[in-house]
């Protein structure tokens, strides 16, 4: 929680934290004098402004201009909390609008260092309507394909949080900062203070990262490199084949045995509704030991053994569910030199089984990523995916998706959280993307919950993956077949990597 006695950084100190020796060039809008005691004639307002100016050395609660963060030029705006609590009045609105216009005119990304208590009550509705000006200016910048980064300091509350802060493409927070729409004096007396902290907002998916002050300049520099603006970037390369850990020594456990064993802990995995949480069981033999060996003789680009193509559908499922095969984190670590996570769905939830963000490859190329981690994807995950794809599309950044899920989560909580609408929105985001989207299926492709993240014309598959309209176990159950026929059902579904290529769903088999 915030330390009420600590010294807050001034607006200029916050800017210097990012720009360092590179410096900052201040801009000012044309002067526009207020009437005596402001638009409401609030007694003592002029005197309060004068005291604030003497105390801080500033003319208003916002300083703006241009600077260089790391090696990236940008427009910067910074709030001075010491000037009437960093509140927004008419002249503050002039400066904020001018900062956005400066970024737009010079085609620069905008970095906002926010510390504000919200609208200035001494200016009444004139102050409140500045939020509309900020929203309009932000929208123009967004339409021009220019990124916005907000660094929320202590405190960031009220309309400043609801526009400059939460309205940015990427939201970073300083540790312990008070962050929330309701300020400390206007919330319910029994409100949980954690909900109004940087850490609480991160847990709720409203903040992308909590970054210590000493790491802020480097972090913002990397974000500026990734976000651009960019033009004409090539499609994300297809990730290279990675070897299965311990390949060549064992076989996958079976699914669909005569006794019904080996179906895993998630009998509903991979249904159209996406039941289940994933399983390490395979689609294997009648004795329950499996026939789908993961041993192979091929070579991965990074070294090590890669299994040959599965001979049967049951073997394909077994290998996709094998706990030894490469998972999402392994692919991401191999693909990117730098990863910058986008965290949460901006609606109060997160899904740890779906990773989103932007990354920089070894050659510096930025790529946005949306990656399933082998668990049923929850509505928050789909909303975060759609957010990431739309951001990348607006900024001209190519997208990479890695598909690996038994299906979408189908529990009651997921339904209440809007699973259908979230999946639909992800389908729409992929369909509408103007930037190239590259998909690699690295494990289980469980029905529509997996298909929502697949590029319609640029999907590739690994040798240890499958994709199916429904899990073989459930297909057999629907058809009233005994468990012993699950393997045959898997064959009928034509879900192997080579089947997916022959059916025109996948363009290639990686490895």
């Amino acid at each position: 929680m915030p330390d009420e006695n600590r010294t807050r950084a001034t607006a200029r100190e916050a800017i210097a934290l990012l720009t360092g020796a590179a410096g900052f060039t201040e801009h000012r809008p044309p002067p526009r004098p207020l009437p005596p005691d402001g638009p409401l004639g609030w007694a003592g307002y002029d005197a309060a402004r004068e005291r604030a100016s003497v105390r801080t050395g500033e003319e208003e609660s916002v300083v703006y201009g241009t600077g260089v963060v790391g090696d990236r030029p940008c427009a910067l705006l910074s709030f001075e909390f010491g000037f009437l609590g960093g509140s927004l009045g008419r002249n503050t609105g002039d400066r904020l609008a001018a900062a956005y216009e400066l970024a737009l005119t010079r085609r620069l990304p905008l970095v906002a260092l926010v510390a504000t208590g919200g609208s200035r009550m001494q200016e009444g509705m004139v102050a409140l309507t500045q939020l509309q000006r900020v929203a309009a200016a932000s929208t123009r910048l967004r339409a021009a394909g220019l990124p916005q980064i907000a660094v929320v300091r202590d405190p960031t509350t009220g309309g400043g949080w609801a526009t400059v802060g939460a309205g940015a493409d990427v939201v970073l927070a300083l540790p312990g900062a008070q962050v929330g729409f309701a300020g400390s004096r206007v919330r319910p007396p029994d409100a949980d203070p954690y909900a109004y902290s940087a850490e609480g907002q991160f847990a709720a998916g409203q903040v992308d990262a909590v970054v210590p002050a000493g790491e802020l300049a480097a972090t913002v520099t990397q974000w500026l490199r990734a976000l651009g603006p960019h033009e004409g970037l090539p499609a994300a390369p297809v990730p290279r084949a990675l070897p299965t850990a311990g390949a060549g020594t064992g076989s996958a456990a079976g699914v669909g045995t005569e006794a019904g064993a080996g179906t895993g802990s998630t009998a509903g995995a991979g249904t159209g509704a996406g039941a289940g949480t994933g399983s390490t069981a395979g689609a294997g033999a009648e004795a329950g030991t499996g026939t789908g060996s993961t041993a192979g003789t091929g070579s991965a680009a990074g070294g090590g053994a890669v299994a040959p193509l599965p001979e049967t559908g049951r073997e394909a499922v077994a290998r996709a569910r094998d706990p030894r095969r490469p998972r999402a984190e392994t692919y991401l670590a191999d693909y990117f030199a730098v990863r910058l996570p986008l965290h949460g769905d901006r609606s109060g939830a997160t899904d740890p089984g779906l990773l989103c963000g932007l990354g920089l490859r070894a050659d510096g190329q930025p790529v946005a990523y949306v990656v399933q981690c082998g668990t049923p994807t929850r509505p928050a995950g789909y909303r975060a995916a759609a957010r990431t794809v739309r951001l990348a599309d607006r900024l001209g950044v190519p997208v990479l998706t890695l598909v690996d899920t038994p299906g979408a989560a189908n529990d009651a909580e997921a339904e209440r959280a809007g699973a259908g609408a979230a999946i639909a929105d992800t389908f729409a985001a992929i369909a509408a993307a103007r930037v190239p989207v590259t998909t690699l299926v690295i494990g289980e492709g469980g029905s529509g919950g997996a298909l929502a993240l697949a590029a319609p014309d640029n999907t590739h598959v690994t040798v240890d993956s499958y994709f199916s309209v429904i899990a073989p176990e459930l297909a057999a159950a629907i058809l009233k077949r005994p468990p012993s026929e699950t393997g045959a059902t898997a064959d009928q579904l034509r879900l192997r990597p080579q089947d997916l290529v022959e059916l025109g769903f996948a363009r290639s088999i990686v490895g």
Side-chain angles (χ1 to χ4, degrees):
M1 292 304 299
D3 180 357
E4 297 296 338
N5 297 316
R6 71 183 178 189
T7 302
R8 292 187 175 95
T10 67
R12 296 178 191 274
E13 288 170 343
I15 291 172
L17 189 64
L18 292 185
T19 61
F24 167 71
T25 302
E26 185 176 359
H27 289 242
R28 286 184 172 86
R32 192 157 66 115
L34 289 166
D37 279 333
L40 306 185
W42 188 287
Y45 179 46
D46 284 350
R49 286 178 52 84
E50 179 61 27
R51 289 192 299 271
S53 182
V54 170
R55 183 171 57 251
T56 64
E58 304 296 351
E59 300 172 355
E60 249 304 336
S61 60
V62 163
V63 175
Y64 77 98
T66 58
V68 177
V69 179
D71 57 354
R72 311 301 292 188
C74 59
L76 290 145
L77 69 86
S78 185
F79 281 76
E80 175 53 69
F81 189 78
F83 194 102
L84 300 180
S87 58
L88 282 74
R90 192 198 70 182
N91 287 357
T92 320
D94 289 347
R95 289 177 173 235
L96 290 171
Y100 283 90
E101 185 64 26
L102 178 64
L104 181 63
T105 301
R106 300 198 181 185
R107 291 205 57 77
L108 293 172
L110 177 72
V111 178
L113 302 158
V114 191
T116 174
S119 299
R120 192 172 299 168
M121 64 180 179
Q122 295 95 329
E123 294 190 24
M125 286 302 299
V126 172
L128 189 64
T129 56
Q130 302 311 307
L131 304 182
Q132 295 173 320
R133 293 181 69 191
V134 173
S138 176
T139 299
R140 288 192 292 271
L141 206 59
R142 188 173 289 111
L146 296 169
Q148 302 171 50
I149 300 173
V151 177
V152 292
R153 300 146 54 207
D154 181 47
T156 298
T157 61
W161 164 239
T163 52
V164 185
D169 298 317
V170 175
V171 181
L172 310 176
L174 292 178
Q178 180 186 167
V179 181
F181 186 66
S184 59
R185 299 184 183 181
V186 296
R187 14 182 123 133
D190 59 347
D192 177 10
Y194 181 73
Y196 305 87
S197 68
E199 293 74 13
Q201 295 287 5
F202 175 79
Q206 310 288 3
V207 164
D208 293 304
V210 179
V211 183
E215 301 173 13
L216 192 59
T219 301
V220 172
T221 298
Q222 298 285 30
W223 270 114
L224 290 171
R225 289 172 180 163
L227 294 170
H230 304 289
E231 291 183 7
L233 291 177
V238 179
R240 63 181 178 175
L242 299 178
T244 294
T249 59
S251 60
V255 166
T257 66
E258 285 193 359
T263 57
S265 60
T266 59
T271 69
T277 60
S279 168
T280 59
E286 290 186 354
T289 58
T291 60
S293 171
T294 59
T297 58
S299 296
V306 175
L309 291 172
E311 296 181 2
T312 65
R314 71 185 73 184
E315 182 186 347
V317 175
R319 282 163 53 172
R321 294 175 178 175
D322 190 325
R324 298 169 298 174
R325 69 163 171 82
R327 302 284 166 157
E329 282 285 359
T330 305
Y331 278 97
L332 289 175
D334 184 69
Y335 195 82
F336 288 113
V338 175
R339 274 190 284 158
L340 302 162
L342 289 168
H343 182 72
D345 67 351
R346 293 298 187 266
S347 296
T350 63
D351 179 2
L354 188 136
L355 306 178
C356 295
L358 274 75
L360 296 169
R361 289 177 53 77
D363 62 0
Q365 179 185 352
V367 174
Y369 61 87
V370 177
V371 176
Q372 292 170 316
C373 298
T375 58
T377 303
R378 305 201 63 78
Y382 290 113
R383 285 191 289 266
R387 171 198 169 203
T388 302
V389 171
R390 290 192 173 108
L391 173 62
D393 188 50
R394 178 160 52 80
L395 299 179
V397 178
V399 177
L400 171 69
T401 66
L402 300 182
V403 171
D404 183 13
T405 180
N410 69 344
D411 54 85
E413 181 182 351
E415 290 298 331
R416 285 192 292 267
I423 295 168
D425 196 39
T426 306
F427 270 116
I430 295 283
R434 297 159 297 180
V435 295
V437 180
T438 302
T439 297
L440 180 63
V441 185
I442 63 171
E444 293 196 76
S447 196
L451 189 66
L453 295 183
D457 57 353
N458 194 22
T459 291
H460 308 260
V461 293
T462 64
V463 295
D464 44 12
S465 68
Y466 79 89
F467 219 116
S468 180
V469 66
I470 189 172
E473 300 90 347
L474 294 187
I478 291 171
L479 295 170
K480 299 183 180 180
R481 294 176 176 176
S484 60
E485 295 187 22
T486 299
T489 303
D491 292 338
Q492 283 185 291
L493 287 168
R494 297 198 64 193
L495 46 72
R496 302 174 303 167
Q498 59 267 46
D499 295 326
L500 300 173
V501 173
E502 291 174 8
L503 292 169
F505 171 73
R507 291 182 60 178
S508 74
I509 301 171
V510 174

